[in-house]
Amino acid sequence: MTTELYRIQFAGETLDGFEATDVKNNLQGLFRISDERVESLFDGTIRTLKTDLSFDDANRYRDRLIKAGADVEIVPVAAPQMVAEPESKRSVEAPRAASLSVEPMEAKAEEAEEAAPTPESTQPAAVSKSANRVPPKRPVAKPAETGHLREAPIEFTGNGGEYFGIWIINILLTIVTLGIYSAWATVRNNQYFYGNTRLDNASFQYLADPITILKGRLLALAILVVFVVLSNLYVEASILLGIGFIFAMPWIVIRSLRFQSINSAYRNVRFDFEGKYVEALMALFVWPLLNLFTFMLLTPFVTLKTHRFIANGSRFGTTPFLLNSTAGQYYSFFGKGILMGLVFGLVAWIGGELFHVVLGTLIAVVGYIAVIGYFMAGMTNLYVNSLSLEGHTFSSDLQPGRMIWIYISNSFLVMLTAGLFTPWAKVRMARYRASCTAMIVDGDLDHFVAAEDKRTSALGQELGDAFDVGIAAF
């Protein structure tokens, strides 16, 4: 571990997606300083907000300032301190870099956590939606290197009418070909949604070959037929095949996740998956079995283990993703959801007993919908906000109310139109999910492209395995 000390510098720049006025208000509330003093922070002078920090403390302070919208940098104390010229003083000699001393930042790390206001308390009412998005704590790959932090929102540009043409043709051709065209339908669907999902002015790509997917499905069908025939003829064979299936499933899941990953790309850099067999076996069978023995008390822990298996096994090029969450966060999340359900259940029971059974039923239905929305949105937020990629992090702020409204209204319209609204429903949900998701980019993403050139030659042999089974994070 490095013993080098660091300082936090600020030159009056704001992160993308934040208004300067909002950032000033946020910093004023965070530091509890006067209007004149907060204005002086934005005169173009590079100021040291805090110095002589350990690496972990420096990142902790930087994360708090990022939440306020300030574009700050961590610089080793030993490095020379650069000076920027204020715009109002371009013709005169640049001033010395200034240092700002404020109480929350001068306290010890533990005291600062308690003294500093929460993001909600420092956010003014006029803060935009993107400003309210709170990026998670960010590990930095190289302590001595820093980059320009910016928020890169994810966008979905597809529309229901356009996708309807693809969707209806896929259905008709799949029926006419007795299911054979389903492999091509899968590729066309994925290519449409990947191609219309954009990050930092570039679209994602789906590169799978329909023939490979069809071969995988035919192989799975053949295995299923053999299993059914042998099970009917020999009871012992069904038992042996069942046991064999348990040990084969982790391998199949890994191959499926890898097939989906290496056929997904961004800026011509392929994703990858390198999960271990033992981790897959634990996530699929061992942890769920232990959960049953503990009367489902391990559910948050099992969910965390599954998320870690998926996230930590994933790669972008040669760079691994990392899930930074803890078991405590998952137990807190599940505990709040269970408490919400119990409160609604109690209120529904009281309403039914004291007033009318119809009222109790309505409250129970509302509670059920609220809990479902909480888990639908919260599980995604919990996973995405804990994810990092070599110093880059991700942000998700799905709202339970909005999420459940889209889900219910989509279901109603799909039933009302006998399924014809399905393309619009999928596009609507994809657009909302994208609008609530962003990547906090530290520097740029160009270095991933260089790493890809060293890896592509090893991918050819892996493209032949395709299985339509797997597990998902949410």
Side-chain angles (χ1 to χ4, degrees), residues 154 187 190-209 257-273 315-318 321 389 439 445 448-449 452-453 455-456 459 463:
I154 294 180
V187 171
N190 288 339
Q191 285 178 342
Y192 181 81
F193 280 93
Y194 277 54
N196 282 285
T197 303
R198 298 179 61 83
L199 170 65
D200 206 24
N201 298 318
S203 298
F204 289 83
Q205 303 158 275
Y206 188 72
L207 309 172
D209 181 6
L257 289 172
R258 187 162 201 207
F259 180 83
Q260 292 298 322
S261 295
I262 63 179
N263 284 292
S264 304
Y266 173 71
R267 289 184 175 178
N268 295 318
V269 179
R270 291 179 185 264
F271 291 82
D272 201 351
F273 186 81
R315 306 285 186 270
F316 179 56
T318 58
F321 287 86
L389 178 68
M439 183 176 186
L445 303 174
F448 292 111
V449 178
E452 177 71 0
D453 294 336
R455 187 179 72 106
T456 50
L459 290 177
L463 296 177

Side-chain angles (χ1 to χ4, degrees), residues 137-347:
K137 291 193 174 183
R138 312 174 50 259
V140 177
K142 298 179 181 180
E145 298 181 2
T146 58
H148 176 72
L149 290 168
R150 57 189 176 85
E151 183 184 69
I154 294 180
E155 304 172 281
F156 184 76
T157 59
N159 65 78
E162 183 180 56
Y163 178 55
F164 178 81
I166 298 174
W167 177 79
I168 193 66
I169 290 176
N170 283 345
I171 291 179
L172 294 176
L173 289 179
T174 299
I175 294 174
V176 170
T177 60
L178 301 178
I180 294 178
Y181 187 78
S182 62
W184 282 262
T186 297
V187 171
R188 291 190 66 196
N189 279 332
N190 288 339
Q191 285 178 342
Y192 181 81
F193 280 93
Y194 277 54
N196 282 285
T197 303
R198 298 179 61 83
L199 170 65
D200 206 24
N201 298 318
S203 298
F204 289 83
Q205 303 158 275
Y206 188 72
L207 309 172
D209 181 6
I211 295 296
T212 303
I213 295 178
L214 181 61
K215 289 179 180 178
R217 292 181 178 178
L218 292 176
L219 175 61
L221 178 61
I223 293 174
L224 178 62
V225 170
V226 171
F227 177 79
V228 172
V229 172
L230 291 179
S231 297
N232 289 329
L233 294 177
Y234 308 100
V235 177
E236 297 81 1
S238 64
I239 297 175
L240 293 176
L241 289 173
I243 296 174
F245 177 77
I246 292 177
F247 289 98
M249 180 58 72
W251 181 84
I252 295 174
V253 166
I254 291 174
R255 304 307 294 182
S256 175
L257 289 172
R258 187 162 201 207
F259 180 83
Q260 292 298 322
S261 295
I262 63 179
N263 284 292
S264 304
Y266 173 71
R267 289 184 175 178
N268 295 318
V269 179
R270 291 179 185 264
F271 291 82
D272 201 351
F273 186 81
E274 298 181 2
K276 302 297 188 295
Y277 175 87
V278 173
E279 295 173 346
L281 181 65
M282 297 291 289
L284 289 172
F285 296 107
V286 178
W287 292 122
L289 185 61
L290 290 175
N291 195 25
L292 290 176
F293 290 153
T294 58
F295 303 100
M296 309 304 289
L297 293 177
L298 289 180
T299 299
F301 182 77
V302 173
T303 305
L304 171 61
K305 285 294 186 180
T306 302
H307 284 183
R308 282 181 178 171
F309 166 69
I310 297 173
N312 296 349
S314 299
R315 306 285 186 270
F316 179 56
T318 58
T319 306
F321 287 86
L322 179 65
L323 193 70
N324 304 296
S325 52
T326 64
Q329 291 174 303
Y330 276 73
Y331 272 95
S332 175
F333 171 75
F334 275 87
K336 291 177 182 177
I338 294 172
L339 181 61
M340 181 189 302
L342 292 176
V343 170
F344 272 105
L346 178 61
V347 174

Side-chain angles (χ1 to χ4, degrees), residues 5-18:
L5 297 178
Y6 300 87
R7 64 174 180 259
I8 298 177
Q9 293 188 166
F10 179 57
E13 299 292 331
T14 62
L15 293 173
D16 294 344
F18 292 83

